[in-house]
């Protein structure tokens, strides 16, 4: 158990809908990362938040957004969903400054029908 | 920008045989290097990491990796694999400062045969 929790574990929805994925980092970790794992794209970095502020952006679509709240949990919002958004979404956390090691949650499997 | 290449998408190996999973990276700056394992339907678990110092790094479950700066490689090895090592293995690099975001390789599926 990495100490990172993600909810829900599975999500099935339809095209055009909007969903929110939630992540609680390990206690004390200030940085949260979101990654997407799909069969055709592999593991891709989406976005990073550090202590409530956006720190870095990767291959994140404009239909996707994220935020980190004062209690350090983070949410990834996916809107106008398309079939191609079906993937496993991972959250990771780290105590930035401690050699960058990231601890991954179990993931949320999103299926868009 | 960094990139990571895992040359083998699948590696079948018999139980108790040695295995090497290859990873090469490209970067214009110093990097940290990681190997993660993903068992079916699970998240990623850190196997080992190279930050600095000794180029031979030992990790969990009997795995080790060697950092070779001149060849920009970080190959993962295990002298004797078990059925339970069947999983997907990911090599990743991160910057040594700034965001520390990971760039992952495409993964190598290790299948251990009885």
């Amino acid at each position: 158990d990495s100490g990172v929790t993600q909810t829900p574990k599975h999500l099935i929805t339809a095209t055009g809908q909007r969903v929110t994925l939630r992540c609680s980092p390990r206690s004390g970790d200030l940085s949260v990362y979101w990654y997407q794992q799909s069969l055709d794209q592999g593991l891709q970095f989406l976005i990073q938040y550090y202590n409530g502020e956006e720190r870095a952006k990767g291959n994140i679509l404009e239909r996707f957004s994220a935020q980190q709240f004062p209690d350090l949990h983070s949410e990834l919002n996916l809107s106008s969903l398309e079939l191609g958004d079906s993937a496993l979404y991972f959250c990771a956390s780290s105590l930035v400054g401690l050699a960058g090691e990231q601890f991954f949650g179990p993931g949320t499997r999103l299926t868009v029908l | 920008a960094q990139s990571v290449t895992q040359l083998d998408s699948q590696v079948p190996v018999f139980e108790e045989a040695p295995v090497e999973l290859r990873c090469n990276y490209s970067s214009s700056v110093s990097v940290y290097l990681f190997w993660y394992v993903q068992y079916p339907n699970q998240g990623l678990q850190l196997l080992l990491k190279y930050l600095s110092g000794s180029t031979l790094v030992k990790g969990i479950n009997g795995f080790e990796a060697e950092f070779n700066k001149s060849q920009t490689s970080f190959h993962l090895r295990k002298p004797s694999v078990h059925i339970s090592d069947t999983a997907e293995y990911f090599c990743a690099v991160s910057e040594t400062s700034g965001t520390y975001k990971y760039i992952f390789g495409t993964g190598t599926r290790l299948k251990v045969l009885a």
Side-chain angles (χ1 to χ4, degrees):
Chain A
D1 185 354
S2 67
V4 179
T5 60
Q6 289 187 249
T7 56
K9 195 167 183 178
H10 300 278
L11 201 46
I12 302 174
T13 188
T15 54
Q17 295 299 304
R18 173 189 168 93
V19 297
T20 297
L21 313 183
R22 183 188 169 103
C23 167
S24 292
R26 290 187 324 153
S27 177
D29 284 356
L30 300 178
S31 200
V32 169
Y33 304 78
W34 286 97
Y35 294 88
Q36 179 193 58
Q37 185 179 31
S38 61
L39 284 174
D40 54 344
Q41 299 281 347
L43 264 165
Q44 299 273 322
F45 167 70
L46 294 178
I47 196 164
Q48 179 202 3
Y49 276 81
Y50 175 71
N51 204 20
E53 296 197 3
E54 184 184 300
R55 186 83 177 258
K57 259 185 172 178
N59 301 321
I60 188 165
L61 300 171
E62 283 193 14
R63 301 183 285 108
F64 296 0
S65 65
Q67 53 185 324
Q68 186 179 28
F69 296 86
D71 66 352
L72 300 177
H73 89 272
S74 178
E75 292 180 356
L76 179 67
N77 301 295
L78 315 177
S79 61
S80 303
L81 285 167
E82 302 175 359
L83 295 177
D85 298 327
S86 295
L88 200 48
Y89 291 85
F90 286 109
C91 166
S93 75
S94 75
L95 183 61
V96 177
L98 197 66
E101 178 178 342
Q102 295 178 28
F103 296 85
F104 283 77
T108 293
R109 183 170 294 282
L110 173 66
T111 302
V112 182
L113 301 176
Chain B
Q2 296 94 37
S3 67
V4 178
T5 303
Q6 290 183 246
L7 297 163
D8 306 301
S9 59
Q10 291 190 67
V11 173
V13 62
F14 284 104
E15 195 173 17
E16 297 183 11
V19 71
E20 179 180 83
L21 306 184
R22 297 180 292 170
C23 172
N24 287 86
Y25 70 94
S26 172
S27 177
S28 57
V29 298
S30 296
V31 294
Y32 294 139
L33 294 152
F34 305 85
W35 275 99
Y36 279 81
V37 60
Q38 184 179 28
Y39 298 104
N41 301 312
Q42 292 188 29
L44 281 77
Q45 180 183 2
L46 181 69
L47 274 177
L48 47 79
K49 60 187 177 186
Y50 173 78
L51 307 178
S52 64
S54 172
T55 57
L56 184 62
V57 179
K58 293 194 184 297
I60 63 170
N61 300 342
F63 284 93
E64 63 180 34
E66 184 152 22
F67 169 57
N68 188 319
K69 191 173 182 179
S70 62
Q71 297 188 6
T72 59
S73 67
F74 190 55
H75 300 333
L76 181 71
R77 301 186 185 101
K78 186 169 183 178
S80 175
V81 295
H82 303 290
I83 295 285
S84 59
D85 292 322
T86 295
E88 186 124 23
Y89 292 79
F90 292 92
C91 181
V93 301
S94 79
E95 303 162 344
T96 58
S97 62
T99 73
Y100 300 105
K101 69 178 187 289
Y102 282 175
I103 305 299
F104 280 97
T106 49
T108 297
R109 189 172 298 275
L110 174 64
K111 185 166 177 61
V112 180
L113 309 168

